[in-house]
Every structure is written in structure tokens, then in C-alpha cells.
């Protein structure tokens, strides 16, 4: 396998248990019935972690859809200049050494041939503390990035308390979610426009009339609501903010809040709007959620939000653009070009945006 030049020191191979225990923290949730691909950079650092459903047919054989997905992941890792790829199957349907899993790795190996195939394939039933893992694929008998010379079997430590999980929690303030569906639950519609905690005097038959406002006024209002700390919104505010996020110039400028000190409050507002709006308004708010997570390097959250956006409005142009980029493996750093445009739009509207305080994700 060709070596790539790197100015960074080459690290020691990673311990298999350390790698496998860290997978939920790297993804942000505990994957189930999944295939996970970990790409390693020339210095043995992890350059990408990708997951997809392990699509098996009724007999347990890999589907053509899974082969197509693996081909796409192979192209992505090659474009990243990865030096080696390790794959993990997490599935509870068959024993870890079942030949059907080896066939999945054989398919993956062909699709990753541009970077030498799959160096090592692990199988385990679940990412639970004490769960047993096994090496079931290792054509060369060893890997460069993961030390499997001595250990071909082992048990996981606790994914919730491993060093990677703690580091991610400190960085993002997020816990590892038990499953991807919990990310979706954070964006599910709330029952009704009003509820006991949000009674307001403006709502009549679930409808609020919003006066016409300029883009500049709407953007200033939007920033003000976010700066207010993400407090719960009454129906009048929701109606005004729906008009704001559906205006392309306002929405495009608001994307910049994802890289400022208002990032967490912006997420709270975008999420509440996603849960309380429908149709194009819900799609616009979910797109803001997706962009915020995407540019922060949280692809799993971004993917869930984009699913919501495109279900709400299949023609949402920005959501389509971000979804295509995410599926193609475009790195979060590429989204910073949009941030320059966001600040430019705000300047054209005569609105002062908060300063950038967040660094680009890797």
C-alpha cells in the first residue's frame, strides 16, 4: 500500500478494544444492525467514521443495496486519502463467525480495493459493556492501524464512559444516545400549536396573522430570539420566525450562528421550530439544524435532520444540497465557504452578525 506524506508523527497502532468501545462516541449514538467503516490517515489517526444499516435479505445474505452503499463508502474513503480501512459489523441476528458476515466483508474488500481493501473486519452483537468481539476478516494476518497480532477476541469496555465519550461530551455537551431513533425523536412534532406550557393570547384557531416585514427586520428578530437564550416560544413568535426561516436571505445569513457563541441557543430555537412547524417551514428549520450539526462535524445528527427536512419538503433546495454533500462524504470544512456568504448576506441587509468563535471541524 502506498504511503502518504505526513508532517505529523505516526502514532502506535490502536488497541482493538479501545477502538471498538469508542465507536458509539465517534458516531454520537449506539449503532444497531449496522456496518461501520473507520478510515485511518497516514499518521494512524482516524480520518472518518461512517455507518450504514446492515441490509441483509430474508436468508441473511447481503443485498444489492448494501453493495451499492459499500461502493459509495469506498469512493469516499479513497477521496479522503485514507491509508487503511477497518470495518465493524454490529448485528445480533447470527453468531459473530457466521459466514454471511464474512461475505459482507468480502464485498466491502472489493469496493475498498483502491486503498488496499478492508484490512480488518470485526464482528460483535451489540455495543454493550462486556460484549464479545472477534476478528473475522484479516487477509494479511495483521493491520497497520489496529493491533490484532495478539488479540483476535476480546470484550468491550463501557462505551458511555470511555475516554473518547468523555472527550466528546466535554466538547459538544452531548451524551451518547442509545439509538439513532432518539435523534429523530428530538425533532418529532409537538402536539398542537399550544400546550399547557405555551398558552398565549395571540393564537386563534391555531392561526396567527403576521404583518409584512423586511428581510433585515426578520433577521434582527431572529438573532434577538436566539440571543434571548432559546426560551420557549409563543405562537406569535413561531409564526414570525417561520416567515424568517422561509426567506432565503434570512435563512442563509442565520447559518452563520452555527459558528458563534450563540450556537447552542440557535440549535434550541431551530429544533423547537422544527417541532412546531409543518411543510416548508418545518423543512427550513430542520435544514438549519442539519447545517449546524454538519459544520460541527456531527454527521449523524445532520443526516437525521436532513431526513426530516426532505420529508417535509422534498423540493427544499438547501436541504437537497446538504444531503447530497453529506452522502458524498464532503467534509465539514467545505461548509465554511457558505459561512463567508452568510456574513456577506447579513452585510447586504445591514445587519451585524455575532463574531465567529467556533473553529472548523475536521
Amino acid at each position: 500500500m502506498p504511503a502518504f506524506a505526513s508532517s505529523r508523527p505516526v502514532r502506535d497502532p490502536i488497541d482493538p478494544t479501545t477502538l471498538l468501545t469508542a465507536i458509539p462516541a465517534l458516531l454520537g449514538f449506539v449503532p444497531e444492525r449496522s456496518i461501520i467503516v473507520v478510515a485511518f490517515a497516514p499518521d494512524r489517526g482516524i480520518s472518518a467514521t461512517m455507518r450504514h444499516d446492515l441490509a441483509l435479505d430474508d436468508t441473511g445474505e447481503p443485498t444489492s443495496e448494501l453493495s451499492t452503499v459499500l461502493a459509495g463508502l469506498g469512493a469516499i474513503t479513497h477521496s479522503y486519502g485514507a491509508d487503511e480501512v477497518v470495518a465493524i459489523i454490529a448485528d445480533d441476528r447470527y453468531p459473530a463467525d457466521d459466514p454471511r458476515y464474512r461475505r459482507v466483508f468480502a464485498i466491502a474488500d472489493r469496493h475498498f480495493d483502491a486503498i488496499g481493501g478492508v484490512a480488518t473486519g470485526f464482528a460483535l452483537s451489540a455495543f454493550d459493556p462486556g460484549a464479545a468481539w472477534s476478528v473475522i476478516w484479516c487477509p494479511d494476518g495483521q493491520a497497520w492501524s489496529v493491533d490484532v497480532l495478539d488479540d483476535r477476541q476480546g470484550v468491550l469496555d463501557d462505551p458511555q464512559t470511555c475516554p473518547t465519550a468523555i472527550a466528546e461530551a466535554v466538547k459538544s455537551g452531548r451524551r451518547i444516545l442509545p439509538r439513532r431513533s432518539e435523534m429523530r425523536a428530538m425533532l418529532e412534532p409537538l402536539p398542537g400549536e399550544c400546550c399547557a406550557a405555551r398558552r398565549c393570547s395571540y393564537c386563534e384557531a391555531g392561526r396567527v396573522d403576521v404583518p409584512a416585514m423586511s428581510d433585515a427586520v426578520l433577521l434582527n428578530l431572529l438573532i434577538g430570539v436566539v440571543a434571548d437564550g432559546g426560551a420557549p416560544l409563543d405562537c406569535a413568535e413561531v409564526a414570525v420566525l417561520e416567515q424568517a426561516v422561509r426567506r432565503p436571505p434570512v435563512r442563509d445569513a442565520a447559518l452563520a450562528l452555527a459558528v458563534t457563541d450563540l450556537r447552542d441557543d440557535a440549535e434550541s430555537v431551530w429544533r423547537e421550530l422544527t417541532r412546531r412547524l409543518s411543510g416548508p417551514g418545518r423543512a427550513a428549520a430542520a435544514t438549519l439544524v442539519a447545517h449546524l450539526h454538519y459544520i460541527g462535524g456531527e454527521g449523524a445528527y445532520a443526516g437525521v435532520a436532513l431526513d426530516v427536512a426532505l420529508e417535509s419538503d422534498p423540493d427544499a433546495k438547501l436541504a437537497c444540497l446538504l444531503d447530497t454533500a453529506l452522502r458524498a462524504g464532503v467534509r465539514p470544512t467545505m461548509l465554511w465557504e457558505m459561512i463567508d456568504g452568510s456574513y456577506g448576506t447579513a452585510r447586504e441587509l445591514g445587519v451585524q452578525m455575532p463574531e465567529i468563535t467556533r473553529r472548523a471541524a475536521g
Side-chain angles (χ1 to χ4, degrees):
M1 181 183 301
F4 295 84
S6 174
S7 59
R8 294 176 291 181
V10 178
R11 313 172 193 190
D12 292 332
I14 192 170
D15 172 74
T17 293
T18 299
L19 172 65
L20 297 172
T21 302
I23 292 297
L26 293 172
L27 293 173
F29 65 100
V30 180
E32 300 172 307
R33 296 190 173 183
S34 300
I35 182 164
I36 301 103
V37 173
V38 182
F40 286 87
D43 69 341
R44 289 198 180 104
I46 293 175
S47 61
T49 308
M50 298 164 283
R51 184 216 73 94
H52 201 276
D53 292 343
L54 185 67
L56 306 178
D57 65 20
D58 292 340
T59 66
E61 295 298 323
T63 64
S64 58
E65 176 196 3
L66 181 59
S67 180
T68 300
V69 166
L70 291 172
L73 296 180
I76 290 170
T77 53
H78 181 54
S79 71
Y80 282 0
D83 210 50
E84 191 168 79
V85 161
V86 168
I88 302 110
I89 286 177
D91 190 60
D92 59 357
R93 286 170 282 188
Y94 305 102
D97 61 352
D98 192 281
R100 283 168 278 212
Y101 295 146
R102 281 194 285 273
R103 282 195 280 278
V104 172
F105 286 133
I107 294 170
D109 190 64
R110 292 197 297 272
H111 289 308
F112 287 90
D113 61 351
I115 53 173
V118 174
T120 306
F122 296 93
L124 67 166
S125 61
F127 284 96
D128 296 327
W133 59 262
S134 301
V135 174
I136 64 169
W137 179 272
C138 195
D140 296 333
Q142 60 181 333
W144 177 76
S145 53
V146 182
D147 185 2
V148 293
L149 279 175
D150 298 322
D151 297 326
R152 295 302 178 105
Q153 294 181 326
V155 296
L156 293 191
D157 295 328
D158 188 348
Q160 297 285 345
T161 59
C162 71
T164 303
I166 294 171
E168 288 294 321
V170 170
K171 182 179 75 173
S172 66
R174 302 183 193 286
R175 65 182 178 89
I176 300 172
L177 296 176
R179 52 188 58 87
R180 194 171 185 265
S181 60
E182 289 199 17
M183 295 182 186
R184 178 63 184 245
M186 292 180 179
L187 300 175
E188 287 301 302
L190 290 169
E193 277 295 301
C194 284
C195 63
R198 292 191 181 88
R199 293 294 179 192
C200 69
S201 59
Y202 304 98
C203 184
E204 294 181 3
R207 182 177 180 81
V208 178
D209 292 325
V210 180
M213 300 181 190
S214 69
D215 290 344
V217 169
L218 286 171
L219 180 56
N220 272 313
L221 284 171
L222 190 61
I223 296 170
V225 169
V226 171
D228 196 35
L233 307 171
D234 64 34
C235 290
E237 290 173 315
V238 169
V240 171
L241 295 183
E242 177 178 18
Q243 186 179 142
V245 298
R246 289 187 62 182
R247 297 266 190 97
V250 178
R251 179 208 60 202
D252 292 350
L255 296 174
L257 296 176
V259 295
T260 71
D261 284 341
L262 295 181
R263 184 258 183 226
D264 294 338
D265 293 326
E267 180 185 0
S268 178
V269 173
W270 306 159
R271 185 183 294 155
E272 181 170 1
L273 290 176
T274 301
R275 302 191 72 185
R276 297 183 66 188
L277 296 174
S278 60
R282 174 169 163 83
T287 301
L288 286 166
V289 174
H291 172 269
L292 181 146
H293 287 297
Y294 193 161
I295 202 168
E298 300 169 330
Y301 284 87
V304 170
L306 288 169
D307 288 345
V308 170
L310 293 172
E311 289 166 10
S312 303
D313 182 5
D315 297 322
K317 292 182 180 179
L318 181 56
C320 289
L321 176 66
L322 293 175
D323 187 62
T324 299
L326 186 64
R327 292 180 184 277
V330 174
R331 290 180 179 273
T333 49
M334 298 298 293
L335 270 62
W336 279 80
E337 296 177 8
M338 298 174 66
I339 295 300
D340 292 338
S342 297
Y343 277 93
T345 299
R347 284 193 298 272
E348 291 174 3
L349 295 176
V351 176
Q352 180 67 40
M353 296 292 290
E355 295 181 0
I356 295 174
T357 56
R358 304 248 173 176
R359 66 179 180 83

